[in-house]
Amino acid sequence: MYYQLINFGNEEFHAYPNKSLYWKRLNTLIISDLHIGKSISYAKNKQFLPPYDTKEILNKIFVSLDKIKPSNLIIVGDLLHDVFSTLSLKDQDYKNLSQYMKNTDFIWIKGNHDKNIQIEGFKNLSNHKIDKFLFTHIPIETSLFQICGHYHPKVKISHRGKTIFKTCFVHNEKIFILPSFGILTGGLDIHSKKISDVLGKNNLSIYPVGQDKVYKL
Amino acid sequence: MNINKSNPLLLHPLNKWMKKKKWSWFPHQIETFRHVRTGSDVVVFAPTGAGKTLTGFINPIDDLIKLKKFKGLHTLYISPLKSLANDIVRNLEKPIKELDLHISFQVRTGDTTPYKKQKQKQKPPNILITTPESLALLNSYENAKEFFHNLKYIIIDEIHTFLDNKRADLLSLNIERLQTFSPNLQRIGLSATLKNKQDAKKWLCRKKPKIVSYENSVLPKINILESKERIPWSGHMATYSINEIYKEIMKSKLTIIFVNTRAQAEYMFKNLWLINKKKLKIVVHHGSLEKNLRLKVENNLSKGLVDCVVATSSLELGLDYGDVEKIIQVGAPKGINRLLQRVGRSNHNLNTPSEAILVPTNRFEFIEAKAAIEEIKKNNLDKIDLKDGSFDVVAQHIFATACAGQFDIDDLYKEIIKAYPYRKLKLNDFKQLINLIQDGGYVLKNYDQFKRIFQLRENKNIYKLVHKRETRKYRMNVGTIIENPMLKIKLGTKSLGNIEEVFIQNLSQGDSFIFAGQVLEFQSMKNNLVQVKRSKSLISKIPSYSGGRMPLSTNLANSVRALLAKSNMWDLYPEQITEWLKRQKNISKIPKKDEYLVEQFPRKKNFYTVIYTFAGWHANQTLGFLLLRGFKEFNYKPLGFVANDYAIVLWSLKEAKEIKTILNLGLLDKHLDNYLEETSIVKRLFRDNAIISCLIERRLPGMEKTGKQVLFSSDLIYTVLKKNEPDHILLKSSYKDAKKNMIDYDRLREILKKIDKKIILKKLTSISPLAVPIILEINRENLSKKETDEYILEDLENEILKEANVLSIN
């Protein structure tokens, strides 16, 4: 898999087109906003999205773990869409997960969607600090470098008279925001007020995610 | 034969009123009356001005008077437009009030207040005038059966607009529902003149089907604008003729200028104002304008306060403006029926001819305009293709049925296949559509507990809605018209209308553009509102609106080919056109009417292949993509292609020597699926399908979704489904729609079936005169928006003309 090299907080990270981020020095894989079970949550309201999201997301994770074999997997929030989401996890899924947990330490940071849910075998934290880096779903007031999720960033690209929206990795000097690893998850323009309030408007490093490649703008 | 002696209408309650007005009954009115009275379903074909609306009401009024103070709903009148529905009420009011007839009548559309709607349900009028969408809604209410059980007549106005689209599918299903409620119901269709009248009859009529037809013997007077300026090679804006168009407006009391796109409307309007020295009252009318602005224009038109209106198809149907003296059609007519409909908007007197002037915006359009005039003289109309109904509309109808109460699926299926578009609907597909409404219809069952409708335990054939609140979701999604994502434009606090989101995304703050005839400056976008202010800028963009691009009709295309081949006619054309064709004949060839000319020539280090198919834009676009793949297979290293209504041009690094081998039916069979997968056509249609079938919601109160979010999530669903469940009914439905509408599959197939024996291949040393227009389009499409300033185009045009060695023509 091709990756895009990103330097953040003087550390080397690799951004993959499957929307995961790899921290090389600590052999740690980072993903965010999986929203497992979103289709079930919608079905509850009689909005019938295809129920394949959970299966696909888990497969994506397993493929990454097989390839990279990280010591740690950090999920920076919204692993699950809501309390109904666990209904979409089958016995086999739990078995597979515990199999992978033997070699990889799973660290689950709570997000706004899943702060009250527990899954057996998962460490459930409100944030997690490693060296000068803080892993948190939504950025907080701190002097540390922060790696977060929550916003599902997308970037608007206008070129030769055409405009496209692309999911992206984005960071400023201190805050890094991951794209959503989910399947049925939407996105938010990085220049929208919600994201600007966090990252500011200038000096952003933006990495749009293409089909097989992460680009750098 | 003396019609008066045997005229049963002389005893009709309206006869007194007709006499007072000094009007006499038309033969088709008498004939219709007789057929309907003896129990026939009838379709009436008559031109505008031949008392069509009245024809529909003759039997209902006669019946209502005989029945004396009939209580409840007796007649339903379906109109394609809300504005037309209001107009019908006004027309009906006159005789009923003047004769003091005891007949009640009301209108019910999306604009009717909830209070009034409620009243109508409690105490229905004798005659209700409504639209297909409002009818669908009425049928979804629990008391629908009681409401309609005494219904005697349903009248479908302008039925020719209802024959070949999803709205027609929806209407056909709801008519069958009414027939179930009231088995004695009789159907009356009112139509403009059609070529395939039998098809319209099959679509509508069930009981002793009859056709009544009235042909107007007075032909319209249609001419091509005589211009001293040269007709451009390419382009669609008719800038060359603006002064002459202005002169024509001055000559007539009221002129309607019809154009083909909203962008053309804005452009034409702006250019007319720039030269409006006489301060004529010129206005613009198109579908994206705010309703109030549109109504204001329509009001001023009927009051005679306007000299000229620039309009799109938004004014094709609808109110009669008696004062319209002249129609100017700018741009290609594209089809005979369409042109006739537009021309018919002038002069609603049957005995004097309508007058129209055609303004071709480029050279091919000149031939097309000529051909259209010839065909109208011969009364050779376009055929309307009746196609199998779309699946998504059935899904919506199933949901509506469930809203009205529990239902038996066998009964519903039997009722649906009575509707003409669905006569071939397979039981298996129908069951999948039931599942789609039940829970999305996915093979993987993750959540059995969540359903929208469910089977009764005691009878598995009976389905029932899980909860009444679901009816609200149906009512939010009703209808088959899906707009592109639009944003509202605000000037101060005043709303001007809607503009495509895609266009706004390409603007920066301070950019100016034309909308509603005004030059506006883009200020900001907040909460899906586009804030603008007035601008004095001279350089401004014109919003483009995707969709609605009409392909050249097969009928007119054949006529264009025949006319092109008639070299003895050329001398009657303007000199520039004559010279153009003569040169083509010398340098290359003019194809005969059943030949397919293919030209190949080198140009700027690339090799060009131009194929003149005259297949219309959709089919040519598809063929272009297929050829691109064919060229790749033969390793010609293709670089791109451009298609228009008449031709396709491909350019490649290597010469396409085996073009004759590539161009055949195999090309279609081999590459079509790949093509559909790679382009966004099916994806876009999937969005429409997902909304119409109520899989995703248009909008919900309290959680207003912007158009873009809907587009986004439907794309995600599409991708997930394609990967995991490629046989899902909505994917099947979207492919079906694509083949039906977007890629002109049948037309392309017909052409490719016979093309290999009819190819005339010309190897040239440089570009031919006939190829110049489409080659110019290449450069236009490949330029970015900012570069398309007129002078660049002119420069480019000159460059290519020099190259083609045809500059001397002018």
Side-chain angles (χ1 to χ4, degrees):
Chain A
M1 250 193 311
Y2 292 106
Y3 59 79
Q4 172 70 48
L5 195 67
I6 297 178
N7 191 308
F8 175 68
N10 275 328
E11 294 274 348
E12 185 183 325
F13 291 92
H14 301 166
Y16 284 98
N18 74 353
K19 296 159 197 168
S20 61
L21 186 71
Y22 179 60
W23 187 359
K24 202 177 166 212
R25 184 169 63 87
L26 295 180
N27 190 25
T28 295
L29 190 67
I30 309 152
I31 54 179
S32 182
D33 297 273
L34 285 67
H35 291 266
I36 281 177
K38 186 170 179 178
S39 70
I40 260 200
S41 162
Y42 272 68
K44 194 175 67 200
N45 296 318
K46 315 294 185 289
Q47 279 257 61
F48 302 110
L49 306 178
Y52 300 95
D53 50 335
T54 301
K55 190 181 105 189
E56 277 204 35
I57 294 166
L58 290 178
N59 278 346
K60 258 176 76 178
I61 297 178
F62 297 154
V63 168
S64 283
L65 295 179
D66 284 340
K67 274 205 181 134
I68 294 172
K69 301 197 172 25
S71 329
N72 306 293
L73 175 71
I74 304 180
I75 299 149
V76 280
D78 289 355
L79 169 69
L80 301 170
H81 191 69
D82 66 10
V83 278
F84 286 84
S85 303
T86 44
L87 290 173
S88 71
L89 291 164
K90 306 268 179 272
D91 289 348
Q92 188 57 47
D93 296 331
Y94 285 111
K95 273 182 206 156
N96 291 341
L97 279 169
S98 43
Q99 199 61 38
Y100 280 101
M101 281 174 180
K102 285 179 188 160
N103 301 318
T104 301
D105 201 12
F106 279 49
I107 300 157
W108 174 18
I109 315 275
K110 289 177 196 176
N112 53 320
H113 275 265
D114 54 7
K115 54 181 174 234
N116 300 320
I117 316 168
Q118 304 291 332
I119 301 180
E120 224 185 284
F122 273 80
K123 270 179 227 160
N124 197 200
L125 310 164
S126 58
N127 57 48
H128 184 60
K129 182 173 168 287
I130 303 176
D131 302 346
K132 54 192 179 180
F133 289 89
L134 184 73
F135 293 86
T136 170
H137 185 57
I138 300 173
I140 57 168
E141 283 292 328
T142 171
S143 57
L144 296 166
F145 292 98
Q146 299 188 68
I147 295 181
C148 337
H150 185 59
Y151 297 99
H152 305 201
K154 296 192 100 182
V155 60
K156 173 178 150 180
I157 301 161
S158 296
H159 182 62
R160 286 186 178 267
K162 294 224 161 120
T163 301
I164 52 171
F165 272 90
K166 281 282 162 198
T167 299
C168 65
F169 296 84
V170 58
H171 69 84
N172 62 13
E173 207 195 331
K174 297 290 279 188
I175 299 172
F176 192 113
I177 301 179
L178 265 80
S180 162
F181 194 77
I183 302 291
L184 293 167
T185 41
L188 191 62
D189 187 348
I190 54 168
H191 295 296
S192 65
K193 191 172 177 307
K194 271 190 185 165
I195 298 187
S196 293
D197 285 353
V198 175
L199 290 184
K201 290 196 173 180
N202 304 316
N203 299 323
L204 298 182
S205 304
I206 304 162
Y207 305 90
V209 181
Q211 197 69 36
D212 310 300
K213 199 184 152 188
V214 176
Y215 298 81
K216 184 179 184 356
L217 285 192
Chain B
M1 183 178 95
N2 188 339
I3 273 177
N4 277 344
K5 259 192 188 160
S6 57
N7 181 0
L9 286 180
L10 295 177
L11 300 169
H12 193 277
L14 291 182
N15 195 52
K16 222 160 85 188
W17 183 72
M18 295 284 285
K19 258 176 130 174
K20 204 170 112 193
K21 296 266 167 190
K22 298 203 169 96
W23 291 344
S24 50
W25 298 99
F26 283 105
H28 61 276
Q29 292 176 324
I30 301 168
E31 205 184 333
T32 305
F33 179 66
R34 282 209 180 100
H35 286 319
V36 175
R37 201 172 51 171
T38 49
S40 279
D41 291 346
V42 179
V43 192
V44 187
F45 298 91
T48 339
K52 226 176 349 186
T53 308
L54 182 63
T55 311
F57 282 116
I58 292 174
N59 295 81
I61 288 176
D62 184 59
D63 202 40
L64 276 166
I65 294 301
K66 281 189 182 136
L67 289 168
K68 281 188 190 133
K69 298 196 178 165
F70 179 90
K71 284 216 170 58
L73 189 63
H74 177 274
T75 296
L76 198 61
Y77 187 95
I78 307 291
S79 157
L81 297 176
K82 285 185 217 169
S83 59
L84 205 53
N86 292 321
D87 199 42
I88 297 295
V89 171
R90 277 192 291 273
N91 288 337
L92 201 56
E93 202 165 20
K94 286 174 202 158
I96 288 181
K97 283 241 165 102
E98 280 179 38
L99 296 171
D100 197 22
L101 304 176
H102 291 280
I103 294 173
S104 55
F105 54 94
Q106 280 168 21
V107 67
R108 183 189 184 97
T109 67
D111 294 343
T112 311
T113 60
Y115 173 76
K116 220 174 162 188
K117 283 182 178 168
Q118 198 54 38
K119 282 237 138 180
Q120 280 173 348
K121 269 167 68 188
Q122 286 155 4
K123 195 172 172 260
N126 299 140
I127 300 173
L128 187 66
I129 295 143
T130 188
T131 60
E133 289 75 19
S134 287
L135 170 60
L137 280 171
L138 278 170
N139 270 337
S140 77
Y141 287 109
E142 274 176 288
N143 60 352
K145 192 175 174 174
E146 295 140 56
F147 191 77
F148 287 117
H149 80 287
N150 264 332
L151 191 70
K152 294 284 182 317
Y153 299 105
I154 179 164
I155 306 163
I156 319 289
D157 194 11
E158 311 276 11
I159 194 170
H160 58 282
T161 66
F162 280 126
L163 290 177
D164 61 349
N165 50 41
K166 289 192 181 186
R167 245 185 139 198
D169 296 343
L170 182 70
L171 180 61
S172 75
L173 293 172
N174 280 294
I175 295 175
E176 294 310 329
R177 174 64 42 82
L178 293 176
Q179 197 85 52
T180 306
F181 289 154
S182 173
N184 292 326
L185 177 70
Q186 269 183 271
R187 309 168 179 198
I188 303 165
L190 308 172
S191 173
T193 314
L194 270 189
K195 184 168 196 166
N196 41 334
K197 299 192 175 82
Q198 292 295 336
D199 284 339
K201 187 176 86 177
K202 280 185 210 151
W203 191 92
L204 182 72
C205 302
R206 297 290 172 274
K207 291 176 180 155
K208 297 195 273 177
K210 288 275 167 10
I211 287 174
V212 173
S213 181
Y214 177 82
E215 305 276 340
N216 191 356
S217 52
V218 182
L219 287 173
K221 266 200 246 166
I222 310 176
N223 289 300
I224 294 179
L225 181 78
E226 280 182 31
S227 176
K228 288 192 194 82
E229 309 295 325
R230 78 184 176 101
I231 302 175
W233 289 91
S234 172
H236 298 283
M237 290 306 180
T239 319
Y240 78 99
S241 57
I242 195 77
N243 286 309
E244 282 140 329
I245 291 175
Y246 189 72
K247 274 183 209 150
E248 288 297 332
I249 300 169
M250 284 196 293
K251 280 192 226 160
S252 300
K253 199 164 155 200
L254 171 56
T255 306
I256 303 182
I257 300 182
F258 276 116
V259 292
N260 291 340
T261 63
R262 292 172 201 182
Q264 276 177 321
E266 295 283 4
Y267 195 84
M268 176 57 64
F269 179 75
K270 176 193 156 203
N271 281 349
L272 283 174
W273 266 102
L274 288 178
I275 57 164
N276 190 3
K277 291 191 191 103
K278 301 256 174 197
K279 299 260 183 297
L280 296 180
K281 291 193 184 66
I282 303 174
V283 293
V284 64
H285 187 283
H286 61 72
S288 288
L289 292 183
E290 191 64 28
K291 195 173 113 200
N292 291 337
L293 290 176
R294 252 181 330 189
L295 286 179
K296 200 173 138 196
V297 169
E298 286 167 23
N299 257 329
N300 286 342
L301 275 172
S302 53
K303 284 184 195 150
L305 298 174
V306 170
D307 297 308
C308 169
V309 55
V310 182
T312 60
S313 51
S314 60
L315 269 190
E316 258 174 41
L317 289 174
L319 312 176
D320 288 350
Y321 305 111
D323 292 340
V324 180
E325 284 185 354
K326 190 181 286 159
I327 301 295
I328 299 179
Q329 160 72 32
V330 175
K334 297 289 165 219
I336 311 288
N337 295 5
R338 185 158 180 255
L339 182 60
L340 269 179
Q341 178 81 35
R342 291 183 161 192
V343 170
R345 303 300 291 154
S346 81
N347 199 357
H348 288 274
N349 184 338
L350 275 183
N351 302 315
T352 45
S354 307
E355 262 188 67
I357 291 174
L358 308 184
V359 184
T361 60
N362 60 51
R363 291 177 183 202
F364 264 111
E365 283 187 359
F366 176 86
I367 307 287
E368 192 181 317
K370 255 303 186 237
I373 292 172
E374 291 301 311
E375 295 313 308
I376 286 178
K377 276 185 200 155
K378 287 188 261 170
N379 199 20
N380 178 19
L381 303 175
D382 300 323
K383 200 167 161 260
I384 294 181
D385 278 329
L386 271 68
K387 289 162 182 157
D388 288 347
S390 295
F391 288 159
D392 50 354
V393 180
V394 175
Q396 191 183 96
H397 187 64
I398 292 169
F399 196 1
T401 307
C403 291
Q406 63 178 45
F407 64 95
D408 183 312
I409 49 165
D410 290 340
D411 292 347
L412 180 59
Y413 178 67
K414 278 180 208 150
E415 183 187 280
I416 287 173
I417 55 173
K418 281 182 197 162
Y420 189 74
Y422 294 105
R423 66 199 181 284
K424 291 186 250 167
L425 179 70
K426 294 198 181 85
L427 183 62
N428 191 35
D429 289 333
F430 170 72
K431 285 194 172 153
Q432 286 192 48
L433 291 165
I434 292 271
N435 292 339
L436 175 68
I437 290 301
Q438 177 181 279
D439 57 11
Y442 305 107
V443 173
L444 182 72
K445 298 285 177 212
N446 253 351
Y447 36 74
D448 259 353
Q449 63 273 49
F450 306 123
K451 283 180 177 171
R452 198 148 51 184
I453 55 174
F454 67 99
Q455 288 168 296
L456 295 189
R457 209 171 292 160
E458 56 275 22
N459 183 348
K460 298 265 187 224
N461 261 353
I462 307 283
Y463 278 76
K464 203 178 161 187
L465 204 64
V466 285
H467 198 284
K468 261 193 110 170
R469 72 168 105 66
E470 295 303 310
T471 56
R472 214 168 95 207
K473 289 182 191 160
Y474 161 73
R475 278 163 202 151
M476 285 296 166
N477 264 44
V478 72
T480 59
I481 299 163
I482 313 287
E483 287 264 13
N484 274 324
M486 294 285 219
L487 299 172
K488 221 172 209 22
I489 299 192
K490 286 257 182 187
L491 178 63
T493 54
K494 200 175 130 199
S495 186
L496 295 179
N498 299 309
I499 198 157
E500 277 192 19
E501 192 173 348
V502 182
F503 177 74
I504 292 295
Q505 279 171 358
N506 282 315
L507 291 183
S508 313
Q509 201 181 358
D511 279 357
S512 58
F513 62 98
I514 302 179
F515 188 82
Q518 309 179 51
V519 182
L520 303 169
E521 187 183 308
F522 176 57
Q523 286 185 295
S524 66
M525 196 174 95
K526 263 185 228 146
N527 304 326
N528 295 321
L529 290 177
V530 180
Q531 203 64 48
V532 297
K533 63 176 188 186
R534 285 216 173 79
S535 161
K536 284 184 180 149
S537 168
L538 290 175
I539 306 158
S540 44
K541 299 181 178 191
I542 309 244
S544 62
Y545 302 85
S546 57
R549 184 164 179 175
M550 294 254 312
L552 177 67
S553 78
T554 307
N555 187 27
L556 186 53
N558 288 337
S559 168
V560 168
R561 287 156 65 102
L563 195 66
L564 207 54
K566 272 190 200 160
S567 52
N568 56 339
M569 296 277 285
W570 294 354
D571 285 333
L572 303 172
Y573 302 162
E575 202 185 325
Q576 24 167 337
I577 302 283
T578 315
E579 278 297 315
W580 175 50
L581 296 176
K582 278 186 179 163
R583 256 173 209 266
Q584 171 67 18
K585 197 178 174 183
N586 293 338
I587 293 169
S588 174
K589 189 179 169 20
I590 298 278
K592 292 198 188 109
K593 75 173 184 191
D594 58 345
E595 285 174 349
Y596 292 92
L597 176 65
V598 177
E599 292 176 335
Q600 293 189 311
F601 48 84
R603 182 173 170 256
K604 288 188 181 169
K605 291 182 191 158
N606 294 327
F607 286 92
Y608 283 69
T609 302
V610 186
I611 306 162
Y612 302 89
T613 61
F614 296 90
W617 185 73
H618 286 324
N620 279 345
Q621 189 76 12
T622 308
L623 185 57
F625 272 108
L626 299 179
L627 281 170
L628 217 51
R629 298 187 145 268
F631 275 30
K632 262 186 209 151
E633 240 178 22
F634 276 73
N635 209 15
Y636 297 145
K637 302 197 189 309
L639 299 168
F641 82 93
V642 162
N644 62 20
D645 272 322
Y646 316 106
I648 307 149
V649 56
L650 291 102
W651 54 104
S652 50
L653 285 177
K654 287 188 183 171
E655 192 181 354
K657 285 189 174 144
E658 297 295 322
I659 184 72
K660 279 189 165 179
T661 321
I662 298 173
L663 207 52
N664 59 38
L665 203 53
L667 188 73
L668 187 65
D669 296 335
K670 196 166 173 188
H671 297 297
L672 185 74
D673 285 346
N674 273 329
Y675 159 55
L676 286 175
E677 244 149 75
E678 276 178 22
T679 59
S680 58
I681 288 179
V682 177
K683 204 192 258 183
R684 215 172 52 231
L685 290 170
F686 182 81
R687 171 176 167 257
D688 294 1
N689 267 272
I691 295 173
I692 292 172
S693 68
C694 307
L695 184 73
I696 57 175
E697 288 160 23
R698 260 184 231 246
R699 52 188 190 263
L700 260 186
M703 104 179 195
E704 196 72 23
K705 270 192 166 190
T706 69
K708 192 176 84 244
Q709 278 169 314
V710 172
L711 181 70
F712 189 69
S713 55
S714 78
D715 278 5
L716 289 174
I717 295 175
Y718 174 80
T719 313
V720 173
L721 262 190
K722 269 206 67 128
K723 195 164 153 196
N724 293 286
E725 207 178 323
D727 294 330
H728 191 268
I729 186 77
L730 267 198
L731 286 178
K732 203 170 151 185
S733 177
S734 309
Y735 275 95
K736 220 176 109 176
D737 284 356
K739 279 194 177 178
K740 225 161 55 169
N741 302 320
M742 299 309 294
I743 61 171
D744 245 339
Y745 179 81
D746 292 337
R747 188 172 182 181
L748 191 55
R749 200 173 172 84
E750 272 314 299
I751 289 173
L752 287 177
K753 232 197 263 178
K754 56 195 179 195
I755 197 168
D756 48 349
K757 290 182 198 82
K758 308 275 176 153
I759 293 177
I760 307 292
L761 182 60
K762 282 280 171 191
K763 302 252 181 198
L764 308 173
T765 51
S766 67
I767 180 174
S768 76
L770 211 56
V772 171
I774 191 157
I775 297 284
L776 280 165
E777 285 192 34
I778 294 177
N779 295 294
R780 244 163 243 214
E781 294 210 356
N782 284 8
L783 281 173
S784 79
K785 277 194 182 111
K786 276 187 185 149
E787 290 168 305
T788 45
D789 295 359
E790 288 299 311
Y791 75 92
I792 293 180
L793 285 176
E794 243 174 68
D795 194 36
L796 203 62
E797 189 168 298
N798 283 333
E799 197 185 302
I800 291 170
L801 295 186
K802 254 184 230 158
E803 196 188 334
N805 201 19
V806 286
L807 200 59
S808 52
I809 288 178
N810 210 327

